[in-house]
Amino acid sequence: MNMCSLSKSDRTRVRLLDAVEALSAQGPMSEITMRSIAEQAGCSLGLAYRYFDTKEELLGAVLDRAAAHITDGLDQTHAPEEVVAHAWPRMAERPVFARLFAWLILEQQDVSAVMSRHPLLE
């Protein structure tokens, strides 16, 4: 994605999503705070909250983005075996998806509610 072609607002949003991915590679998800995400993204805590009301909403957006990358080109017409064959290698490119997904399950969160926008969950 070419960041220069995005609006300032979209660039900030992308930086926040990128920050979650970077922080998830450095330590446990439970230790990631909105403050640490804002610092990693190079913006104020207030600005981070302007884009995402809660940490869970931000994590859901990261999951949506990772899931979109992993399932790009797939839809409900593909057999489960095709989905797995396509998605598994792409998941290795975006390990944040597996980390966040596992964390949400361990926290007993409703994953489908967090990932409300992903078409394969409909």
Side-chain angles (χ1 to χ4, degrees), residues 1 6 18 53 56 60 62 86 88 111:
M1 173 186 331
L6 297 175
D18 290 345
D53 291 334
E56 288 71 25
V62 172
H86 174 85
W88 201 254
V111 175

Side-chain angles (χ1 to χ4, degrees), residues 14-35:
V14 167
R15 283 197 331 266
L16 288 165
L17 298 175
D18 290 345
V20 172
E21 289 198 35
L23 290 169
S24 75
Q26 297 172 13
M29 293 303 304
S30 59
E31 293 180 11
I32 297 175
T33 64
M34 284 297 281
R35 183 173 305 284

Side-chain angles (χ1 to χ4, degrees), residues 21-119:
E21 289 198 35
L23 290 169
S24 75
Q26 297 172 13
M29 293 303 304
S30 59
E31 293 180 11
I32 297 175
T33 64
M34 284 297 281
R35 183 173 305 284
S36 65
I37 293 166
E39 288 174 6
Q40 178 77 22
C43 68
S44 70
L45 181 59
L47 186 59
Y49 276 114
R50 185 174 178 200
Y51 286 88
F52 299 98
D53 291 334
T54 64
K55 175 181 161 182
E56 288 71 25
E57 184 182 334
L58 176 53
L59 296 178
V62 172
L63 279 171
D64 284 336
R65 182 172 79 164
H69 169 77
I70 291 165
T71 60
D72 184 39
L74 297 173
D75 59 33
Q76 291 91 345
T77 64
H78 289 89
E81 302 81 33
E82 291 176 287
V83 171
V84 170
H86 174 85
W88 201 254
R90 303 224 40 193
M91 191 180 292
E93 297 169 7
R94 291 305 267 276
V96 67
F97 180 82
R99 284 192 294 273
L100 281 172
F101 194 80
W103 179 75
L104 287 168
I105 291 171
L106 292 172
E107 292 288 315
Q108 299 179 343
Q109 300 251 353
D110 180 0
V111 175
S112 62
V114 174
M115 291 181 62
S116 59
R117 294 182 294 152
H118 197 272

